[in-house]
Amino acid sequence: MTIRVLHVASELYPLLKTGGLADVTAALPAALIELGADARVLLPGFAGVAQGLADLRPIARLERGFGAREATLELGRLPGNDLPVYMVRADAFYSRPGNPYLDDEHVPYGDNAQRFALLGWAAAQLAQHLDPAWAPHIVHAHDWHAGLAGAYLRAAARERGHAPARSVFTIHNLAYQGIFPARQFDELGLPGDFFDMHGVEFYGQLSFLKAGLFYADKITTVSPTYAREIQTVAQGGGLEALLKGRAHDLVGILNGVDYSVWSPAADEAIAARYSATRMSGKLRCKAALQQRFNLTQKHDAPVFAVVSRLSEQKGLDLLLAALPEIVARGGQLVVLGTGDASLEAGFTRAARQHPDAVAVELGFDETLAHEIVAGADVMMVPSRFEPCGLTQLYALAYGALPLVHRTGGLADTVTDASLENLADGTATGFVFERFEPDALTAAIRRAFALHARSRDWRETRARGMREDFGWAASAQRYMALYRELV
Ligand code: ADP
Ligand code: GLC
């Protein structure tokens, strides 16, 4: 039997991306199709999506608009790989310039509950044959934006006496919960008893994330370690009891890398192509990076780099504290990111203080992200917590040693260059345990020490480049989960 699965999310690379979610929602359906599944995606019709999809055509009018005057379901395909993508067109909700979730002042839009309820409701409608030509067996919702899909499916199941589809909910980040005032519940059109501790209610408010977790048949998250961490008070965000209670339905499946996008041997965005056996191109990429950022042209100065959302999660306040260590030892630092004003200011100040050694670009720039990973010697990911993390995986592929905090998916993917791991031939990067400036500083010193031992450095780098974090293995695990359900 061919499994039909609908992925419901708010981002899709390359049409709309603010983080790793977009990389996953593009690559995972494609990998599932490789394995024989019939996978499609459903997205809100944000400007980038409406403009980027090919062959868009209307499928059905949506009879409920949640306050948007007009809402229709359309179907198109992703140029490049022809992935079928449904889009909810509701211009009053989604056709806004800038960030999909926040207004110009970085404040969540006042109608986010309705905007994303419409997405979840449309998913449940698709499971009930809104498109006469295609209906999913599995509705696979990602993050709080799609959290209500499971609730609407459950409501439909109650009405019809059987579930229109089975459901999977993937947590990409428990820190974003989609919380709204209780009074907005009435606008959702859900059965009144769903506003309950055993339902969408969360400490007196309405939580889209909790809805996703409560109503899904299966819950996944994006690494095995994070799956354990979120069942603890420290990292459960108040949902640890629910998650622990559903532990037998919760599984951590590591994200993969789309090597058709992230591969230094074929990357058109970088100054020169290279591979584990032909590394000279990497030196050219490093020189190009130093030039691009007006840093001193020194091939033996290790270049540390960050490509990241500048948010509390990413632990970059720790890096600001440890930055003098990099400069004092003759290293360089390149930062590409956007987000918290205080972090933006901190890195800008550091770049002004050390113009030859520290450079910052504030913004979101996909091409530059590739140039940085290709040119860097060390990619810094000192996150407080990290559900999976993709930049450390891209770093491994590009021969930039990842330096990470031992948490979540970072712990699952990077092996520290300790003496014993070097001797055993397992080291791929640098891992620090305690989330403290001195622990990060010690890891930075280890990076300098290894850099001075060029043979060990080259071996560690080559080992990382040879590792396979492709999607095939993870897609198999999702397939097994779907098969269990249908
Ligand atoms: P998260 O999803 O928490 O932001 P991930 O490591 O999973 O973290 O994914 C981040 C993705 O976003 C990567 O593809 C990374 O290259 C990209 N990215 C983050 N910040 C920027 C930026 N400022 N410019 C370009 N790409 C960025
Ligand atoms: C989230 C997480 C990140 C993960 C990404 C894709 O944004 O912060 O760790 O890699 O989702 O799953």
Side-chain angles (χ1 to χ4, degrees):
M1 177 185 126
T2 302
I3 292 182
R4 292 190 298 273
V5 55
L6 179 70
H7 286 267
V8 190
S10 63
E11 302 188 16
L12 183 74
Y13 171 85
L15 306 185
L16 179 74
K17 167 168 167 177
T18 69
L21 173 67
D23 291 359
V24 174
T25 55
L28 173 58
L32 292 167
I33 289 171
E34 288 276 304
L35 296 178
D38 182 357
R40 298 188 175 190
V41 178
L42 170 67
L43 297 172
F46 297 123
V49 176
Q51 283 153 21
L53 287 175
D55 304 335
L56 263 181
R57 61 188 168 87
I59 295 290
R61 218 183 133 262
L62 293 168
E63 68 191 45
R64 194 182 276 173
F66 293 87
R69 274 177 305 284
E70 270 286 311
T72 51
L73 182 76
E74 302 188 3
L75 175 62
R77 60 181 175 81
L78 191 61
N81 69 359
D82 288 345
L83 180 69
V85 181
Y86 290 102
M87 180 189 101
V88 178
R89 190 185 287 277
D91 288 347
F93 275 177
Y94 306 131
S95 187
R96 297 173 188 174
N99 187 289
Y101 320 113
L102 312 173
D103 66 18
D104 290 342
E105 314 277 284
H106 296 280
V107 177
Y109 293 114
D111 56 358
N112 271 354
Q114 293 92 321
R115 295 169 82 222
F116 292 102
L118 176 58
L119 178 68
W121 182 77
Q125 293 297 303
L126 263 164
Q128 295 168 83
H129 299 276
L130 180 64
D131 179 355
W134 193 90
H137 301 113
I138 306 268
V139 172
H140 187 154
H142 298 266
D143 271 357
W144 75 263
H145 320 110
L148 287 194
Y152 288 115
L153 282 172
R154 182 68 63 90
R158 184 188 280 181
E159 223 164 77
R160 298 162 44 148
H162 67 95
R166 307 307 304 278
S167 64
V168 175
F169 183 82
T170 295
I171 305 164
H172 294 265
N173 199 330
L174 206 66
Y176 300 93
Q177 302 196 337
I179 300 223
F180 302 98
R183 62 180 148 75
Q184 294 203 277
F185 176 76
D186 290 341
E187 293 156 39
L188 303 181
L190 286 167
D193 61 314
F194 279 30
F195 193 80
D196 187 82
M197 196 177 116
H198 301 288
V200 305
E201 186 267 349
F202 186 61
Y203 293 104
Q205 292 184 292
L206 169 64
S207 164
F208 277 37
L209 179 66
K210 184 170 171 205
L213 301 175
F214 185 82
Y215 291 107
D217 293 313
K218 292 279 180 191
I219 303 168
T220 77
T221 188
V222 288
S223 71
T225 294
Y226 193 61
R228 287 192 299 276
E229 289 169 345
I230 57 179
Q231 296 179 52
T232 65
V233 174
Q235 294 217 52
L239 291 159
E240 59 278 355
L242 193 171
L243 289 163
K244 229 174 158 169
R246 298 210 58 191
H248 54 291
D249 290 324
L250 166 65
V251 55
I253 303 178
L254 204 62
N255 285 333
V257 175
D258 183 345
Y259 289 115
S260 71
V261 179
W262 292 96
S263 183
D267 193 332
E268 294 295 330
I270 63 180
R273 255 102 356 243
Y274 59 92
S275 65
T277 49
R278 292 177 65 106
M279 286 298 288
S280 59
K282 182 152 179 89
L283 264 185
R284 302 239 295 281
C285 290
K286 178 168 172 175
L289 186 63
Q290 288 172 323
Q291 197 171 10
R292 160 77 169 73
F293 280 99
N294 282 318
L295 297 172
T296 311
Q297 292 275 328
K298 271 179 75 185
H299 70 87
D300 57 345
V303 173
F304 295 75
V306 172
V307 175
S308 183
R309 292 184 293 115
L310 301 183
S311 73
E312 156 105 5
Q313 171 191 349
K314 299 298 178 177
L316 295 166
D317 44 335
L318 217 59
L319 175 58
L320 272 176
L323 187 147
E325 186 75 22
I326 294 178
V327 177
R329 289 178 182 266
Q332 301 179 338
L333 176 68
V334 172
V335 178
L336 168 62
T338 169
D340 287 3
S342 66
L343 287 169
E344 291 191 351
F347 283 111
T348 304
R349 203 175 315 117
R352 224 179 286 125
Q353 276 164 3
H354 311 283
D356 300 334
V358 180
V360 179
E361 176 108 355
L362 301 178
F364 196 96
D365 184 335
E366 190 75 28
T367 302
L368 188 54
H370 284 245
E371 291 168 347
I372 291 174
V373 182
D377 295 300
V378 180
M379 285 299 295
M380 307 289 275
V381 197
S383 309
R384 277 191 170 69
F385 66 94
E386 195 62 77
C388 178
L390 292 169
T391 45
Q392 84 280 10
L393 300 179
Y394 302 154
L396 289 168
Y398 280 69
L401 273 53
L403 190 162
V404 306
H405 177 216
R406 201 173 83 142
T407 184
L410 301 172
D412 292 338
T413 55
V414 181
T415 306
D416 183 57
S418 63
L419 274 180
E420 59 275 27
N421 289 339
L422 284 168
D424 291 351
T426 56
T428 57
F430 309 97
V431 183
F432 65 96
E433 302 268 337
R434 280 175 303 109
F435 189 79
E436 303 282 346
D438 66 314
L440 173 57
T441 303
I444 290 170
R445 288 169 57 203
R446 284 216 306 291
F448 275 98
L450 193 71
H451 195 253
R453 289 161 39 179
S454 55
R455 191 160 152 237
D456 285 335
W457 184 273
R458 285 199 306 270
E459 276 178 14
T460 306
R461 187 172 68 180
R463 190 175 305 117
M465 292 179 78
R466 281 194 306 266
E467 281 200 296
D468 180 6
F469 284 101
W471 268 103
S474 301
Q476 296 269 17
R477 303 199 56 201
Y478 283 108
M479 281 299 267
L481 196 70
Y482 299 159
R483 282 206 197 90
E484 237 181 272
L485 287 175
V486 297

